[in-house]
Amino acid sequence: SLLLQDPTCNPSDFTVNILDGSGNSYGNTLTCALAGQTVMARVTHTATGNYCTTDILVQDYLAPFIDCRDTVIPCTFSTDPMLIGYPNITDNCTAFSSLQITYTDQVTELACYTLINGDSVTTLTERTWQVADDSGNSSSCVQRIYHKRSQVEEVSFPTHMDGFVRPALSCLDDPTDLDVTGRPTIAGQEILLGGRCELVVTHTDQIADICSPGSYRILRNWNVIDWCSGKFQIGIQV
């Protein structure tokens, strides 16, 4: 009916055929594949076969849909969206893989024992998402990511590398390299630096000679302190 000059005409008396510049027919439907093109619409009076034509510039004015959901993750988890997920994003024309998706973060350290929906949290990451489609339409939303605090009782210390529990280090291994010897963990995840768990992790080494020439034993004393409560946990690694 938008193509009829006389608004009193009955649209059912007419048929519409859309042709692109190469003469390809799209029936009576404008599709996203035609966005940015000028196409010809032929309006035909079914009973008489009389028709007229008009040019239509097809443009996409609909912005992408984006839905951000707040989330609470363990303090040992990274906020990398590849790990914790992306917002729900869709667009009427542009495929997800072709959308321009970016984000910026603002991180705030929270006071001890801050509660969000019953969870004690340590940091807030306010992530502003921006998404744009191939036609330049854009949308944004803010996602709030909270890190949930952990207790010192949840900490597990790295196991011994003493030739019994795990193999001892060779002379080529660096015993000060914690990537080799391990760090304290919570549920199998290393405790991240930067205060996200509100736990301070330190260690000291005591070296003792053993009988084998050129060999020695390190007693590594791990100390994990909850900086809010002052509670601590001690572990020894050989």
Side-chain angles (χ1 to χ4, degrees), residues 1 4 6-16 42-51:
S1 61
L4 296 176
D6 185 349
T8 63
C9 290
N10 186 353
S12 63
D13 293 335
F14 299 85
T15 59
V16 176
R42 176 181 291 173
V43 182
T44 303
H45 186 243
T46 306
T48 64
N50 295 326
Y51 67 88

Side-chain angles (χ1 to χ4, degrees), residues 1-4 11 13-20 23-30 38-46 49-56:
S1 61
L2 293 177
L3 299 177
L4 296 176
D13 293 335
F14 299 85
T15 59
V16 176
N17 188 32
I18 297 168
L19 303 171
D20 64 15
N24 299 309
S25 174
Y26 292 84
N28 62 0
T29 304
L30 293 172
T38 298
V39 297
M40 182 183 72
R42 176 181 291 173
V43 182
T44 303
H45 186 243
T46 306
N50 295 326
Y51 67 88
C52 64
T53 61
T54 187
D55 288 338
I56 300 175

Side-chain angles (χ1 to χ4, degrees), residues 158-169 180-183 237-238:
T159 54
H160 302 316
M161 304 183 72
D162 56 358
F164 298 100
V165 179
R166 283 195 293 164
L169 298 179
V180 174
T181 58
R183 298 175 174 84
Q237 179 188 17
V238 178

Side-chain angles (χ1 to χ4, degrees), residues 77-212:
F77 278 28
S78 165
T79 58
D80 187 334
M82 294 294 291
L83 301 177
I84 66 172
Y86 285 78
N88 180 23
I89 301 174
T90 58
D91 188 67
N92 62 314
C93 285
T94 304
F96 180 84
S97 59
S98 297
L99 292 170
Q100 300 175 42
I101 303 172
T102 59
Y103 67 87
T104 57
D105 285 347
Q106 180 176 340
V107 180
T108 303
E109 301 286 341
L110 303 176
C112 289
Y113 309 118
T114 296
L115 291 178
I116 296 294
N117 297 326
D119 289 319
S120 182
V121 294
T122 62
T123 63
L124 164 62
T125 300
E126 292 180 289
R127 176 164 292 168
T128 301
W129 289 94
Q130 293 275 354
V131 56
D133 63 18
D134 287 342
S135 297
N137 305 304
S138 63
S139 299
S140 66
C141 66
V142 176
Q143 178 187 20
R144 295 172 181 83
I145 305 167
Y146 296 94
H147 275 106
K148 183 178 180 180
R149 83 185 308 270
S150 294
Q151 310 295 325
V152 292
E153 294 84 1
E154 301 175 55
V155 175
S156 296
F157 294 98
T159 54
H160 302 316
M161 304 183 72
D162 56 358
F164 298 100
V165 179
R166 283 195 293 164
L169 298 179
S170 75
C171 296
L172 300 178
D173 294 319
D174 180 2
T176 66
D177 185 350
L178 300 183
D179 289 334
V180 174
T181 58
R183 298 175 174 84
T185 59
I186 297 174
Q189 299 291 321
E190 292 184 1
I191 301 172
L192 300 176
L193 300 177
R196 292 179 182 173
C197 290
E198 293 181 345
L199 300 175
V200 178
V201 180
T202 60
H203 71 274
T204 57
D205 288 348
Q206 181 179 353
I207 298 176
D209 292 329
I210 57 178
C211 297
S212 301

